[in-house]
Amino acid sequence: MGGEQCMWGVCFVALDGNGQKFFGFSEFLAGLALMVLAWTIADVRYRFRVRTAPIPLQGITFAVVATVGMLTLLTDLWRAEQWLVPKGNLLSPASWQAILGGLFLLTFLTWTWFAFIRPPTYGRHNAERFAQTLYRFILKGSPVELSVIADELAYSARALVRYATDRGRLKNYRLERDDEKKKDPPKVEGYANDLLLLIADKRLCRSIVESSPGTALAVFQAMADMKKYGIQVETFAKNIVNEALANKDSFLYHEAEGYESGLIGYHKPLSQAMFSNYEMVETIGTLLDPDVYGKREWDATQWEAYCRVVLMTFSSYVKEGYGGHSFVLYRAKGHIENAASDLYTLNEFPSAWDTDSSRRLRVVIEFVKGAVKILDEKGVPDHVRIRVREKHGHPRETFYDHIASMIFEVIFHASAVRSPQWGCWTIQHNSVWGELFNFNHLDGPASKVVKFKVRRLLYDEIADMKRFPNFKGAKILGFCLNVMGLNVRQGDYDKDSRALQRAVLAWTRKNFVWLHGYNPRVAEACLVDGMTFDLENRRLVRTYPAEGLRREPSYIYFELDPAPLDFKGEA
């Protein structure tokens, strides 16, 4: 080619084909190969981070790489053909190569920054991309990928809680009218609300429980720190708890007691974050709601874990002085009191003590003792009424009444076990009555209030049979006769039940013959194995068979009053 050429005042010279070259098309290909290798071997974690960056990183990377590639190729062609370039010092061949190489390097460093150094979190600039990316991963449902995504969500937990809409406690009462609803929230707030519903997917919750409990910890800690309890985590909270209960290797089982789990057992980080704040638990409303069908399959270990977290919430409720009705704790009480509702299956079972039903019963009794102990530590408030009249009903009932009714229901379930004699005694006396009423158990001020209420519930149920003989009252009477006996004994170990025993025996002496004449089937339901009715001699007979060191059977007799003279028996 010729020398310098000028046109319209601009001079052009031929590009030196032997000039310095440090970033050409060959160097670009080598760098691109390394970049493609890095992109290829990157796992789902880094792909998720790149896709959720606050800038459209994938599109920008493709555009820059394609542009730099074409320009380096043209540059090498230009140099090889020694085509004309403008004359001057504004842009030399070396600076041109530096610009192209710098753009290529900057693209790689930006990708590396978001993928490895500073993972992106949910925010205003990536709300839509974050939601779309997470939606695709959850929709795919790969367990391996979800375990990674579950871990990545921990970085965005605080941001999601911060941007989400807090509806407060009023959300549980649905007080907002249609004409008072808010306008459409900002995009970042709307997507945050949607994402809190999206992460409630059971598959993702299962992955969080199995491999990333720190994500759940981050969500609930952020809620506690910001006091935003009314965000849309109801389904997420319920699924996390139910998946944790279903997985016996989850935090609910490792965060047990210190002597079992070491430091984690003492600190209980996740359990404390989720269950030790009563206001948060009540506002969320679903943390203590077990799966309706799943709880039917729970064994004693799972019920024990559930009772443990309920006690944590109940402790906060009592210590913080919340006096109103608690919907979550009342529902939890109902679930727990029915945990051993299948005790009737132990009839004729040779070893009732060593069954899951009996173990669940002991778990329920331990829960009752733990709840009463919490009330004892707080002391009996002045507003607690020893006896709530039926006409006053629910508004004046407190957790003293709820625990008493819970004990009553547990006694009713235990009363269904009628034989064999030793199995019946083991369940009714050793597992229930002896743990609550005998041997000075539950001897605090709150305990005495609860036990008074239980005694009143038991006697009222028995006395109501005079008005309407029924099998429930009959089973309760049979339970009382079995655990307290037919003779009033002197001693301190059963002093708490002596007044009830005298009242029950007095009612039985006066009404049993009448009850037998009115409905023999109901009267028969009052007698457990080893106890019979001697109609000829008008007495109840308790038989202790010859076993162990007892060479001959022994008998205890309880004399009964005759039926009223105007009684005509069954119609």
Side-chain angles (χ1 to χ4, degrees):
M1 298 181 63
E4 180 177 318
Q5 300 181 26
C6 294
M7 184 182 300
W8 299 307
V10 179
C11 295
F12 295 88
V13 296
L15 185 62
D16 185 7
N18 298 319
Q20 186 179 12
K21 176 184 175 184
F22 58 85
F23 185 76
F25 190 66
S26 59
E27 288 79 13
F28 167 78
L29 290 178
L32 181 61
L34 293 176
M35 187 180 290
V36 170
L37 178 63
W39 287 338
T40 303
I41 65 175
D43 65 5
V44 62
R45 183 186 305 274
Y46 306 110
R47 294 200 301 272
F48 178 80
R49 292 176 178 179
V50 169
R51 292 176 185 177
T52 58
I55 58 176
L57 190 56
Q58 287 180 300
I60 292 176
T61 300
F62 176 80
V64 171
V65 168
T67 302
V68 170
M70 288 187 293
L71 290 177
T72 54
L73 179 61
L74 284 173
T75 301
D76 284 358
L77 176 62
W78 217 281
R79 178 185 290 109
E81 296 293 337
Q82 296 188 357
W83 289 343
L84 296 177
V85 294
K87 181 181 178 180
N89 297 322
L90 180 62
L91 188 64
S92 66
S95 60
W96 173 252
Q97 294 178 72
I99 291 174
L100 295 179
L103 285 174
F104 187 76
L105 178 62
L106 181 62
T107 302
F108 180 76
L109 292 179
T110 304
W111 187 88
T112 306
W113 175 262
F114 288 116
F116 299 98
I117 308 301
R118 185 64 64 85
T121 59
Y122 179 81
R124 298 181 184 275
H125 303 294
N126 69 338
E128 186 173 356
R129 276 192 301 277
F130 196 99
Q132 291 175 349
T133 302
L134 184 60
Y135 182 84
R136 284 194 293 268
F137 276 108
I138 293 179
L139 190 63
K140 184 178 179 182
S142 169
V144 176
E145 293 184 353
L146 286 181
S147 64
V148 177
I149 300 304
D151 188 54
E152 283 299 298
L153 282 174
Y155 296 107
S156 298
R158 294 192 68 86
L160 288 173
V161 173
R162 182 170 64 253
Y163 288 116
T165 304
D166 185 8
R167 298 165 293 163
R169 293 193 67 173
L170 294 181
K171 71 181 181 65
N172 294 327
Y173 303 97
R174 304 182 184 275
L175 295 181
E176 187 180 46
R177 298 199 307 265
D178 291 339
D179 58 346
E180 295 178 343
K181 290 183 178 179
K182 296 181 179 179
K183 297 180 180 179
D184 291 339
K187 179 182 290 188
V188 66
E189 182 179 340
Y191 276 118
N193 295 335
D194 291 342
L195 284 171
L196 290 176
L197 292 175
L198 181 61
I199 64 175
D201 182 86
K202 286 188 176 183
R203 295 168 298 181
L204 180 62
C205 290
R206 189 175 305 120
S207 296
I208 291 175
V209 169
E210 290 176 353
S211 59
S212 184
T215 299
L217 176 63
V219 171
F220 289 103
Q221 277 188 338
M223 292 175 62
D225 293 343
M226 302 178 196
K227 298 187 182 301
K228 293 185 68 172
Y229 307 139
I231 60 178
Q232 296 183 118
V233 294
E234 297 91 346
T235 308
F236 173 74
K238 181 182 68 173
N239 287 342
I240 285 291
V241 173
N242 281 282
E243 292 296 338
L245 288 167
N247 183 354
K248 292 187 179 180
D249 198 33
S250 70
F251 65 91
L252 287 183
Y253 300 93
H254 290 295
E255 295 182 3
E257 300 299 333
Y259 60 86
E260 295 178 357
S261 306
L263 185 63
I264 296 298
Y266 287 111
H267 285 186
K268 299 180 176 62
L270 190 47
S271 299
Q272 289 284 348
M274 293 177 66
F275 303 104
S276 65
N277 184 337
Y278 167 73
E279 185 179 357
M280 181 173 71
V281 175
E282 181 71 32
T283 304
I284 294 174
T286 58
L287 266 172
L288 301 180
D289 288 349
D291 181 73
V292 175
Y293 302 104
K295 71 175 182 177
R296 297 177 183 176
E297 307 299 327
W298 286 1
D299 58 18
T301 303
Q302 291 168 300
W303 277 109
E304 183 179 12
Y306 179 74
C307 290
R308 187 161 53 242
V309 299
V310 173
L311 282 178
M312 294 177 69
T313 303
F314 183 65
S315 178
S316 172
Y317 171 84
V318 173
K319 290 179 180 179
E320 297 300 325
Y322 294 98
H325 179 70
S326 171
F327 293 95
V328 293
L329 289 173
Y330 188 78
R331 290 198 303 269
K333 187 261 313 181
H335 297 312
I336 295 172
E337 71 185 18
N338 290 314
S341 59
D342 61 343
L343 286 172
Y344 65 91
T345 61
L346 300 183
N347 279 306
E348 307 299 337
F349 203 84
S351 54
W353 178 262
D354 190 26
T355 62
D356 188 66
S357 296
S358 61
R359 285 190 287 269
R360 276 184 273 122
L361 174 63
R362 293 194 289 273
V363 168
V364 175
I365 294 300
E366 288 301 317
F367 171 83
V368 170
K369 293 165 67 175
V372 174
K373 181 180 178 181
I374 291 171
L375 294 175
D376 278 332
E377 292 172 352
K378 180 69 175 180
V380 182
D382 295 336
H383 67 271
V384 174
R385 295 176 177 267
I386 297 296
R387 187 174 181 183
V388 179
R389 302 291 179 180
E390 185 177 353
K391 65 179 180 179
H392 296 306
H394 169 73
R396 294 193 180 181
E397 288 184 349
T398 64
F399 256 95
Y400 290 82
D401 300 283
H402 299 330
I403 294 176
S405 69
M406 182 179 187
I407 296 174
F408 175 83
E409 291 300 323
V410 173
I411 287 175
F412 175 62
H413 295 320
S415 68
V417 182
R418 299 165 51 83
S419 63
Q421 186 174 353
W422 173 246
C424 176
W425 177 260
T426 298
I427 295 297
Q428 296 187 0
H429 181 271
N430 296 351
S431 296
V432 179
W433 196 255
E435 290 292 326
L436 299 177
F437 280 84
N438 291 347
F439 307 104
N440 296 321
H441 290 162
L442 303 182
D443 202 31
S447 304
K448 294 177 180 178
V449 174
V450 172
K451 288 194 286 189
F452 174 88
K453 293 177 178 293
V454 175
R455 291 193 295 265
R456 173 54 57 183
L457 289 173
L458 293 173
Y459 183 76
D460 287 347
E461 188 67 38
I462 294 171
D464 194 53
M465 283 203 297
K466 183 65 176 176
R467 180 185 63 86
F468 173 61
N470 61 89
F471 288 100
K472 183 176 183 178
K475 289 182 178 180
I476 295 296
L477 176 58
F479 177 94
C480 293
L481 293 176
N482 185 37
V483 299
M484 292 185 291
L486 301 179
N487 290 332
V488 178
R489 296 179 293 271
Q490 299 300 321
D492 290 337
Y493 84 98
D494 61 348
K495 62 180 181 181
D496 287 339
S497 58
R498 194 166 299 138
L500 176 63
Q501 182 187 20
R502 289 195 177 99
V504 169
L505 291 179
W507 189 95
T508 305
R509 175 179 289 109
K510 181 179 180 181
N511 297 293
F512 191 86
V513 174
W514 163 82
L515 180 63
H516 187 271
Y518 182 84
N519 192 327
R521 294 184 300 277
V522 173
E524 181 65 24
C526 299
L527 306 177
V528 299
D529 187 29
M531 192 174 297
T532 57
F533 173 50
D534 182 356
L535 178 60
E536 182 178 354
N537 296 307
R538 291 201 312 272
R539 62 186 181 183
L540 296 181
V541 182
R542 180 66 180 263
T543 304
Y544 295 95
E547 57 184 5
L549 298 178
R550 191 184 299 115
R551 299 176 60 186
E552 296 180 355
S554 61
Y555 304 94
I556 294 178
Y557 302 101
F558 182 70
E559 304 297 332
L560 302 171
D561 293 343
L565 294 178
D566 58 346
F567 175 67
K568 298 180 181 180
E570 282 189 293

